[in-house]
């Protein structure tokens, strides 16, 4: 039974990601340099320094690309991110996604 649950979770995750674009393929080193502008809210380590800003470390690259492009074009609304993202080109977005998506996080269950 346990094996089937893992398969169900994997299928659910795959279906959620199906609508996202393919892997960004950006340059993580260039993204780290560009992330200096993001560190006030999201931290250079991708761990949020503000309660209203999400953690970015370990996020899936295609999700980050999609979110940043939506902030840039106004599809997704956030007063700060809409202004910040307007300055980002596609290469900047790919690089930031590669950097933050490549940061490793450790999950420790409670208890």
């Amino acid at each position: 039974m346990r094996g089937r649950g893992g398969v169900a979770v994997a299928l659910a995750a795959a279906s959620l990601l199906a609508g996202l674009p393919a892997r960004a393929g950006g340059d993580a080193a260039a993204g780290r340099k560009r992330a200096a502008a993001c560190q006030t809210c999201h931290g250079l380590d991708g761990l949020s320094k503000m309660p209203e800003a999400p953690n970015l470390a370990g996020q899936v690259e295609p999700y980050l690309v999609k979110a940043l492009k939506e902030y840039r074009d106004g599809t997704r609304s956030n007063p700060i991110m809409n202004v910040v993202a307007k300055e980002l080109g596609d290469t900047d977005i790919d690089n930031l996604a590669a950097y933050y998506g490549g940061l490793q996080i450790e999950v420790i269950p409670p208890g």
Side-chain angles (χ1 to χ4, degrees):
M1 192 68 142
R2 187 173 183 183
R4 289 183 187 187
V7 171
V9 170
L11 289 173
S15 68
L16 288 173
L17 294 176
L20 296 176
R23 186 176 185 276
D27 178 346
R32 185 179 195 286
K33 290 178 186 171
R34 191 69 166 100
C38 310
Q39 70 183 351
T40 300
C41 299
H42 299 287
L44 191 57
D45 60 359
L47 301 176
S48 177
K49 307 306 181 216
M50 300 172 60
E52 58 276 352
N55 291 330
L56 300 179
Q59 274 287 5
V60 179
E61 282 185 55
Y63 170 77
L64 291 171
V65 169
K66 181 179 184 293
L68 285 170
K69 287 183 177 181
E70 289 175 353
Y71 283 125
R72 183 178 66 188
D73 70 18
T75 304
R76 187 179 282 208
S77 182
N78 176 281
I80 295 171
M81 286 304 301
N82 292 126
V83 171
V84 171
K86 277 204 185 308
E87 304 300 318
L88 299 174
D90 287 345
T91 301
D92 293 324
I93 289 174
D94 288 347
N95 293 345
L96 285 166
Y99 173 66
Y100 280 116
L103 293 174
Q104 298 295 308
I105 56 172
E106 182 179 359
V107 178
I108 302 170

